[in-house]
Amino acid sequence: MKLETYIKKFERRVKKHPNDWQIHRKIGKRLVYKLKKKIKRNPKDISLINWCGIIALELNDSDLALEMFQRAVAVNSNVQTLNNLAYFYQIEYDDHQRAVELLERAVKMEPNSGLPYGLLGEAYLDLELYKKAAEAFTKALSFEENPSLLNNLGVALYKQGKIREAAIHFQKSWKSEDRIKDNFLDLILNYGVWDEYLNPVLSYGVSMAQLGKTKEAEEVAGKLKLFVKGYLEAGKNPIHLDIAFLEIAEIYYEAHSYTRANEMFHAALGPKMTYGISPRWISQYQYSLIQCEQLQEAEALLKKVILDTQKLMEEILEDDYYTQEEQQQHVDDYTQDIEEYKDLFQKVREGHPPSVDFCPPVMGNCYMFGCMRHGRPVYIKNEGIIFIDKI
């Protein structure tokens, strides 16, 4: 069987079973073996090297993937090789600085693709270089307008305090994705509890609340509540919804709709929910309760979270899985949480509203040239295609 046929067969397997790499592992290992033999005979064929790196990633062989991507750059430092090595550092190693260094070299070549700019924007976000991130995402959007780039530009603007401009891009991201418009049930059944495409909806809602647009904010919160309702009606486990309830509560809290915020906080912080047990969320809930003249409930909540935290400490001390040093570290962390619960509650009773400190989520994207899983083409410039022309 020709190598080209193997590559196409492997690509079909990946697309058909994207989350089960064991299914295409056998053909992938054989394909890597064939590619390595070809590379040995053609050591400067960056197309062969790139394919080997991509397939190695699909096989979870990070060492081989890194070796191939580094080799490709050494043979020919062009837009594709620099970008793909940067993508590896950004995603696999969280080495954002090294990714930026490679990508800044790539964009100096004036690529006719938005991938290097989008990836550069994400790396800048991770380095908290928000102005540069906004510029990179804006450039990427000049090639292709998609929900993730719009959302991430919104994140970069929000981080600069440009909430109004950020809200515009969060809304565009939300509206540009057909799946988000009305049918939340499809998301529930096909994409999990809190699909990342709901993130711009959340960010838009919080932004509207912070801008004083209460009506718009509550409309967004209502749409997200439809998601929760559909999730429950689909027979899904409600214990997985604590984060969704809390995110919706955050919109109502910022909009000063405290009664509705309390409903969502209660749903998230009930007996079966554990995710939201943190000083941040608890203090916001207590403030909302006090604003609704429910001081006793706020005091009872303080007692409950302290008892729950003490129980967690006891469980840690009784668990042989942890070393003595690890146990002490957890106990110190929980003790600090208890003191923070008490301190924040005192401030809440004095009328000081806890800040939300909202951090809009970044939407991930694939920026690898030639990625089979996401159907990314190889890089094309001036009609010169970097590909395996002859196999």
Side-chain angles (χ1 to χ4, degrees), residues 76-88:
N76 186 354
S77 296
N78 58 39
V79 172
Q80 174 166 291
T81 60
L82 290 167
N83 180 87
N84 285 7
L85 179 57
Y87 185 77
F88 182 91

Side-chain angles (χ1 to χ4, degrees), residues 80-286:
Q80 174 166 291
T81 60
L82 290 167
N83 180 87
N84 285 7
L85 179 57
Y87 185 77
F88 182 91
Y89 283 129
Q90 174 73 8
I91 303 301
E92 296 293 320
Y93 283 1
D94 290 330
D95 192 339
H96 315 302
Q97 185 58 53
R98 189 171 295 184
V100 163
E101 291 169 0
L102 291 163
L103 290 164
E104 286 181 342
R105 288 170 60 190
V107 298
K108 283 181 180 179
M109 300 177 185
E110 299 183 357
N112 61 347
S113 167
L115 296 191
Y117 295 103
L119 181 57
L120 182 58
E122 288 197 17
Y124 280 145
L125 281 181
D126 288 317
L127 294 174
E128 299 182 3
L129 300 172
Y130 302 124
K131 184 177 180 180
K132 286 188 173 182
E135 292 171 353
F137 288 129
T138 300
K139 184 67 175 181
L141 282 164
S142 70
F143 292 96
E144 175 193 10
E145 186 169 295
N146 65 51
S148 62
L149 290 173
L150 287 165
N151 176 81
N152 295 348
L153 175 53
V155 173
L157 292 167
Y158 185 96
K159 289 291 189 176
Q160 296 178 70
K162 300 177 180 180
I163 299 177
R164 190 175 303 279
E165 295 93 325
I168 293 171
H169 289 88
F170 291 140
Q171 186 182 38
K172 284 183 178 179
S173 175
W174 166 22
K175 297 296 184 181
S176 70
E177 179 54 57
D178 291 337
R179 293 189 296 127
I180 299 301
K181 290 182 179 177
D182 298 299
N183 198 347
F184 284 79
L185 187 57
D186 284 347
L187 285 172
I188 298 160
L189 298 177
N190 299 321
Y191 297 96
V193 178
W194 190 266
D195 185 85
E196 70 167 4
Y197 286 108
L198 287 171
N199 286 336
V201 189
L202 167 67
S203 298
Y204 177 68
V206 172
S207 297
M208 286 293 98
Q210 292 175 339
L211 291 169
K213 305 288 186 179
T214 303
K215 181 180 178 180
E216 292 86 341
E218 292 189 348
E219 286 177 355
V220 172
K223 285 184 176 292
L224 293 175
K225 286 172 72 174
L226 287 177
F227 167 83
V228 173
K229 181 181 178 182
Y231 187 83
L232 295 173
E233 289 176 350
K236 301 291 184 176
N237 189 344
I239 199 163
H240 296 139
L241 277 177
D242 42 13
I243 180 61
F245 286 127
L246 287 168
E247 301 288 21
I248 298 168
E250 194 159 44
I251 296 176
Y252 285 129
Y253 177 82
E254 282 283 62
H256 307 303
S257 300
Y258 297 116
T259 299
R260 292 180 176 177
N262 286 336
E263 293 174 2
M264 304 313 299
F265 278 128
H266 178 74
L269 304 174
K272 295 183 180 180
M273 301 295 184
T274 58
Y275 183 92
I277 304 301
S278 71
R280 169 192 174 188
W281 296 112
I282 295 300
S283 62
Q284 290 176 11
Y285 187 16
Q286 289 169 328

Side-chain angles (χ1 to χ4, degrees), residues 5-16:
T5 305
Y6 267 114
I7 291 176
K8 290 181 179 178
K9 184 177 181 180
F10 183 77
E11 183 176 10
R12 288 195 297 270
R13 293 283 183 91
V14 169
K15 289 181 177 179
K16 188 174 182 180

